[in-house]
Amino acid sequence: MRVLLCDDHPVYRDGLRTLLQELGLDVVAEAASGEEAVHRAAELAPDVVVMDLSMPGIGGVEATRRIVAARPETRVLALTMIEEDATMLAALRAGASGYLLKGATGAEISAALDAVGRGAVTIAPEVATGLRSGLHRPDPFPQLTPREHDVLRLMSRGRTNELIAQTLHLSVKTVRNVVSSIFLKLGVSTRAQAVATARDAGVDGH
């Protein structure tokens, strides 16, 4: 199996490359941004792309969408720290065949790669409940991006910008910009109004 490895953290990427090679997989290239992932996938036509979703640039969800649209036979396995339902659903709707959390063991990663390589869909059990309930539930805020959904959900949990930044591996400045965009799209002017709007729509952060 030919694998393209996409992650912007060099230490994690090095460890994952070693694991995949020990499993007998051919890591044909690596990418550290969404744009680079799309370029490498088009250039090398890998069997599977292992995709971090929190990369710089267009991000992993949009990169997944472009890769699958250009070459549907390429499978994408999202391997991420993000447990939020909105991000998982966005990744699957973009064309990902699997969603795994970065705390997964080597055996779990191996099994997931084998599954998506065979054309199956595999979802981490920690987030599978959100899949069952979310795929058939209309998105109350379709105007929001996946990242904005994640931030809004964490705001609904009472998280500060600093805690949201830590959870999503973003800078505090980026979180502030996302919050401002959420305010604009929801037509509100305060954090409390945004949270109230989210909760009225059934987004309670859990």
Side-chain angles (χ1 to χ4, degrees):
M1 183 187 296
R2 302 172 69 253
V3 178
L4 171 61
L5 180 55
C6 307
D7 196 292
D8 64 321
H9 293 93
V11 173
Y12 184 82
R13 196 171 64 237
D14 289 348
L16 187 55
R17 184 201 321 115
T18 299
L19 171 65
L20 297 181
Q21 290 172 339
E22 288 175 351
L23 292 172
L25 302 177
D26 180 15
V27 179
V28 295
E30 300 174 19
S33 71
E35 289 86 349
E36 187 179 7
V38 173
H39 173 73
R40 289 292 192 181
E43 177 186 29
L44 299 169
D47 299 310
V48 177
V49 177
V50 177
M51 181 74 73
D52 178 28
L53 299 182
S54 299
M55 290 191 298
I58 60 174
V61 172
E62 180 59 27
T64 295
R65 182 177 292 109
R66 296 185 188 185
I67 289 169
V68 174
R71 190 172 185 272
E73 58 267 39
T74 294
R75 306 293 179 176
V76 177
L77 172 63
L79 185 59
T80 178
M81 294 288 291
I82 303 175
E83 299 184 40
E84 304 302 321
D85 292 349
T87 299
M88 175 192 62
L89 293 168
L92 295 175
R93 286 169 174 151
S97 297
Y99 196 97
L100 208 59
L101 300 179
K102 282 189 173 179
T105 65
E108 289 169 336
I109 293 173
S110 176
L113 284 167
D114 181 64
V116 299
R118 290 184 285 104
V121 174
T122 182
I123 308 295
E126 299 93 330
V127 293
T129 301
L131 173 66
R132 288 192 293 270
S133 62
L135 280 178
H136 304 291
R137 184 176 64 239
D139 183 353
F141 304 118
Q143 71 272 37
L144 299 185
T145 66
R147 178 168 289 175
E148 288 165 351
H149 275 290
D150 290 339
V151 171
L152 180 60
R153 187 179 298 275
L154 291 171
M155 287 168 59
S156 297
R157 293 182 185 177
R159 303 277 180 87
T160 63
N161 286 351
E162 289 74 16
L163 287 175
I164 292 172
Q166 291 175 19
T167 301
L168 299 181
H169 302 283
L170 302 171
S171 70
V172 175
K173 180 180 179 181
T174 296
V175 172
R176 289 196 193 104
N177 290 338
V178 173
V179 170
S180 295
S181 178
I182 291 170
F183 285 2
L184 181 64
K185 291 181 179 181
L186 297 187
V188 300
S189 56
T190 70
R191 200 178 191 91
Q193 289 173 335
V195 170
T197 300
R199 289 181 174 172
D200 285 345
V203 179
D204 62 1
H206 300 289

